[in-house]
Amino acid sequence: SLLYKGEPIHKHFPALQQSVYGKPLVYFDNAATTQKPQAVIQAITDYYSTINSNIHRGVHFLSQKATDAYEITRNAISEFINAAHAYEVIFTKGTTDGINLVADAFGSYGLGPGDSVLISAMEHHSNIVPWQIACEKKGAFLKVIPMNEAGELLMDEYEKLLDDKVKIVSLTYVSNSLGTVNPVKEVIRLAHERNIPVLVDAAQAVQHTKVDVQELDCDFMVFSGHKMYGPTGIGILYGKEEWLNKLPPYQGGGDMIKTVTFEGTEYNDLPFKFEAGTPHIEGAITLLSALDFIKEVGLDNIERHESELLRYATERLSEIPEVKIIGTAGKKAGAISLIVDGAHPYDIGVLLDKMGIAVRTGHHCTQPVMDFYQIPGTLRLSFAVYNTKEEIDLFMTSLKRAIQILI
Ligand code: PMP
């Protein structure tokens, strides 16, 4: 297992020290949300025990401290994704919130009757529904980049779909249900050749691999704090300055304004224009501890460790003839989906749970992916820094027992 401060990393995660049904907890549902290191939990307590106050408003000591801490995280995130400017980093509630913001604002700004929005066949519902809502309002259409049986995008088809009706492309970096790593840099390059902006959903990317928004040249990127060892309810929208200035605000309220009269309002500068109301101050401030944790472990180490887990689990799963892996792309990260011939994923999930192993079963908010494979759902294992090969061995023994019981 990976080390952190000279100790096996899982020792730094209090939630992983517990037993469930008398069995040591093995947590393989990290794509849904990761557990939190002690440092993040401590930071949350420290925040409410010390500098708790509203930001950007008060002249007083605590408010100044909280404001500074909030902006320090913004700077750290900006560095983490290599944004050109910290004001291109907007705090949101999470990935879903970030996509809704862009879909709503971009819909008002840049969609008209007959236009289209291009997404991919493996999007999370949160990168489908907001665009459907935006399209419906404007008489625009949603179009879909198809994928093959392995769960890889068909890049030739993508190029054919890039006509002059397409106003924006929005796709996931890493599929949460298949684990596919998409060639987002190439997707962006091809879109930019036609002056089409691209939003990248990095909810399943930033915790697994180094992401550089300037190198990718994406126009927007979104992700969630809770999938990267931070708190729930906080997320990030990165947008290029040029785009964030062009788009209208998403929500109106305090903080997003410069002056307000009954005749009209002057909006605030970036990033505040997109941060109406009291934000999740504690979430933003303590996200810094999650970033520090990732930095200290090192994304290179994380990537190496998790891809070894992925390789090992894939290899071991081939021992069971009834198991079929769904999604066999050449490049994968973080997750393995599988089905078992003759047993429903949910039934296996319930039995695994009783053996102390937490997995996710179902459609993973990607119903169109399940429709594509004509299956009701999968059983998904998803990895984080603290998982080990021993846990995969335990999973294999437990899976074999569950299959024996069910078939
Ligand atoms: N996109 C992807 C690829 C995801 O995996 C998820 C979370 N499962 C989301 C979007 C939505 O994230 P959130 O629920 O944190 O808003």
Side-chain angles (χ1 to χ4, degrees), residues 228-271:
M228 51 187 294
Y229 311 104
T232 51
I234 189 77
I236 301 296
L237 161 66
Y238 157 83
K240 276 187 188 162
E241 176 178 12
E242 174 203 347
W243 275 111
L244 294 177
N245 277 328
K246 264 195 285 204
L247 296 187
Y250 173 50
Q251 292 182 323
D255 271 356
M256 56 77 70
I257 51 86
K258 263 188 189 154
T259 59
V260 179
T261 67
F262 290 122
E263 285 67 48
T265 290
E266 190 189 351
Y267 302 133
N268 208 339
D269 297 327
L270 297 176

Side-chain angles (χ1 to χ4, degrees), residues 181-198:
V181 179
N182 286 317
V184 285
K185 194 170 175 186
E186 180 64 3
V187 167
I188 293 163
R189 192 185 66 78
L190 290 166
H192 283 180
E193 274 180 3
R194 296 150 177 92
N195 291 319
I196 303 167
V198 180

Side-chain angles (χ1 to χ4, degrees), residues 177-178 324-328 332 336-339 373 375 378:
S177 52
L178 303 171
K324 184 178 175 209
I325 292 178
I326 302 295
T328 50
K332 284 174 67 170
I336 302 184
S337 257
L338 59 97
I339 53 171
Y373 289 102
I375 51 177
T378 70

Side-chain angles (χ1 to χ4, degrees), residues 53-95:
S53 54
N54 213 328
I55 54 165
H56 301 141
R57 290 162 200 226
V59 293
H60 63 84
F61 184 82
L62 294 189
S63 173
Q64 198 53 55
K65 284 264 192 205
T67 303
D68 291 348
Y70 186 81
E71 293 305 323
I72 283 170
T73 302
R74 194 192 308 278
N75 286 322
I77 289 282
S78 167
E79 227 174 79
F80 181 66
I81 58 172
N82 193 32
H85 310 285
Y87 53 74
E88 294 176 317
V89 171
I90 313 286
F91 285 115
T92 64
K93 288 192 288 185
T95 305

Side-chain angles (χ1 to χ4, degrees), residues 31-32 93-97 99 123-124 126-127 172 174-176 201-204 223-224 226-227 360 364-365 380:
K93 288 192 288 185
T95 305
T96 304
D97 192 35
I99 298 172
E123 295 312 316
H124 189 277
S126 64
N127 201 22
T172 194
V174 177
S175 155
N176 67 307
D201 171 353
Q204 300 293 348
F223 50 95
S224 300
H226 70 95
K227 294 179 197 279
R360 176 93 176 255
H364 319 294
C365 297
R380 182 186 69 187

